[in-house]
Amino acid sequence: MSSEDSFDWYVVRCFTSHEKKVKEYLTREIEEQGLGHKISEILIPTETVIEIRSGKKRTKEKNFFPGYILVKTRYDEEVNNLIQSAPSCLGFLKVGKSQVVPEPLKKHEVERIIGRVMDNKEAVEKGGVVDIPYKEGDIVKVVDGPFKEFDGTVQEVLADKLKLRVMVSIFGRKTPVEVDLDQVESAT
């Protein structure tokens, strides 16, 4: 049995949008207090998505679980006190009101979360994961191209091409047209 086997993953609750701040604080404190033998890793499960807003592509980090971080540790009172004293941190996630000691994540839960993080990294390396703000049935206004000023309904999202198939009314007939994501904006 290796020393790494005695570590378990636990969920730590913190204020939403403060995950990085909590991780930085804990990393600094672990180093200063010499607790590396008790806490081996801190993970904020995120994915990188390409977001298209107002016709511009932006890369954005998106948390899978806002307000939560994962800590790989040998849980004891010293680790609990460190987590409890961290600014913006609410402590270990405990299930049930009577539970005093937090329960570690099950192996399959950890594998699923880490697998999702790794899958996202691979997708980003191959060109990215696009967060498309439109779905079938949305009303959009075409703001560029040959169909400029036409309103239509999204019929299909073509994520791999970064396009939408939109039904617009041309000469009184509903006609499907393909437009780039940056050629439309929400009509609502």
Side-chain angles (χ1 to χ4, degrees):
M1 182 170 164
S2 74
S3 63
E4 194 66 18
D5 290 338
S6 62
F7 286 87
D8 287 310
W9 283 98
Y10 292 86
V11 178
V12 173
R13 296 178 340 156
C14 58
F15 297 156
T16 303
S17 303
H18 288 233
E19 298 88 356
K20 286 183 182 177
K21 182 175 149 182
V22 171
K23 180 180 179 178
E24 289 167 6
Y25 173 83
L26 291 174
T27 303
R28 195 172 49 251
E29 288 298 308
I30 290 165
E31 193 173 314
E32 286 178 13
Q33 295 181 27
L35 294 175
H37 65 287
K38 290 188 177 185
I39 300 175
S40 69
E41 195 173 344
I42 300 171
L43 175 68
I44 302 171
T46 60
E47 63 183 339
T48 303
V49 294
I50 298 169
E51 192 176 60
I52 300 176
R53 297 268 186 227
S54 304
K56 295 180 181 157
K57 276 187 186 182
R58 290 186 293 187
T59 302
K60 177 181 171 187
E61 282 271 308
K62 190 173 170 184
N63 285 358
F64 291 152
F65 310 113
Y68 297 95
I69 61 174
L70 303 179
V71 177
K72 188 173 188 180
T73 185
R74 290 184 182 120
Y75 181 84
D76 66 9
E77 205 55 43
E78 188 176 19
V79 170
N80 186 52
N81 291 339
L82 173 66
I83 298 296
Q84 292 288 354
S85 68
S88 304
C89 192
L90 302 170
F92 283 98
L93 179 65
K94 297 175 184 165
V95 182
K97 293 182 180 186
S98 63
Q99 190 170 358
V100 177
V101 176
E103 192 173 314
L105 290 171
K106 292 172 179 54
K107 186 176 181 180
H108 72 275
E109 294 171 323
V110 174
E111 289 171 351
R112 189 181 73 227
I113 292 167
I114 292 175
R116 187 171 168 191
V117 170
M118 297 311 291
D119 288 348
N120 177 259
K121 285 182 182 177
E122 289 174 14
V124 168
E125 288 170 5
K126 292 179 182 174
V129 177
V130 179
D131 184 25
I132 298 177
Y134 307 105
K135 62 184 182 309
E136 290 180 29
D138 284 353
I139 308 295
V140 294
K141 180 180 185 97
V142 181
V143 293
D144 190 28
F147 304 101
K148 185 175 181 176
E149 300 301 319
F150 281 84
D151 287 344
T153 305
V154 176
Q155 182 182 23
E156 186 178 0
V157 176
L158 307 167
D160 53 332
K161 296 180 181 179
L162 298 179
K163 292 183 179 275
L164 299 173
R165 184 163 294 130
V166 179
M167 291 296 278
V168 297
S169 180
I170 301 174
F171 305 119
R173 291 183 64 196
K174 294 280 184 188
T175 307
V177 297
E178 270 189 25
V179 293
D180 293 333
L181 289 174
D182 61 354
Q183 290 180 304
V184 297
E185 63 183 29
S186 180
T188 55

